[in-house]
Each structure stands twice: as C-alpha cells, then as structure tokens.
C-alpha cells in the first residue's frame, strides 16, 4: 500500500478487529481516536512508515493489545502511557518493537529510557539515540 493518511474513525464499525497491519506505508501520524472502537485489537504493525508522533492516549482503548510493532519510523519521543498496560499483560507474552527510530536524548526521555531498561523482557528498542543523557 501507499497510504499517506488514515481518516479518523476508519475502523469505527469493525468492533471485532483483532489484527491490523499498516506497515510499509507513508503514514506520518495516526489519528488519536483511530482505535477508540476496537477493544479486541491484539496485534498492531505500524512499522516502516514515517510516523513522527503518537499521542499519549492513543492505545488506551485497546485493552487486549499485546503485540505492537513501531520499528523504523521517525519517532523521537515516547510516552510510557503507551505501554503501561503491557506490564500487566505478562501472561499473554506481550511484545513491543521500537527499533530503528531516532530517539531523542533529552531530559523528557530519561524516565522512558529507564522504563525501557527495566522491561527488556518484552521490549525491543535497538536504535539511534541522539546526544547524551545529560541535562544542562
């Protein structure tokens, strides 16, 4: 596919959606409410896009989401709220791949970096970290 945008509410009528592969497109952003009506979504692949930002609450409506691939995008900031629920889903073997993103090494990312080091059992985050973790 060659998608550049996704209309908000595109999957609104598909309440049984459990797996979604939007990889290898040209998406730069994902609408905040895109998954608001997809409580059964368990697998999401957004890899190989150009996504630069995801809102902190984007994955909250997806209580069954246990596998998420966000590798090879342009994400530089992460929000621990994206992944908070994954910690409690350990019996489902959660998996998150954030590799290949140009992560920022600003002070706002210190808590995320610490969180990522504590959760390597389900998180892959190989990638480019810019600068050093030192605050002025």
């Amino acid at each position: 596919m060659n998608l550049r945008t996704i209309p908000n509410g595109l999957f609104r009528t598909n309440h049984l959606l459990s797996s979604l592969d939007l990889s290898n497109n040209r998406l730069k952003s994902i609408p905040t409410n895109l998954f608001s009506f997809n409580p059964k979504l368990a697998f999401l692949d957004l890899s190989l896009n150009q996504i630069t930002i995801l809102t902190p609450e984007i994955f909250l409506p997806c209580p069954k989401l246990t596998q998420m691939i966000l590798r090879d995008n342009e994400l530089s900031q992460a929000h621990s709220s994206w992944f908070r629920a994954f910690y409690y889903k350990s019996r489902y073997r959660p998996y998150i791949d954030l590799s290949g993103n140009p992560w920022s090494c600003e002070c706002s990312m210190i808590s995320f970096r610490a969180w990522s080091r504590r959760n390597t059992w389900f998180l892959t985050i190989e990638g480019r970290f810019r600068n050093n973790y030192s605050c002025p």
Side-chain angles (χ1 to χ4, degrees), residues 122-134:
F122 70 87
L123 176 68
T124 302
I125 191 168
E126 299 164 5
R128 311 162 293 200
F129 277 90
R130 293 185 244 142
N131 307 321
N132 293 320
Y133 281 102
S134 59

Side-chain angles (χ1 to χ4, degrees), residues 1 4 8 24 30 39 41 55 57 59 62 71 75 84-85 87 95 101 103 109-110 113 121 130-131 133 135:
M1 288 193 265
R4 291 177 188 261
N8 205 0
N24 206 15
I30 303 295
L41 187 63
T55 60
E57 63 278 355
F59 303 117
C62 306
R71 73 175 300 124
L75 293 167
R84 198 171 289 139
Y87 180 78
Y95 175 76
N101 284 287
W103 300 108
M109 287 286 287
I110 291 174
R113 185 66 174 148
W121 60 278
R130 293 185 244 142
N131 307 321
Y133 281 102
C135 297

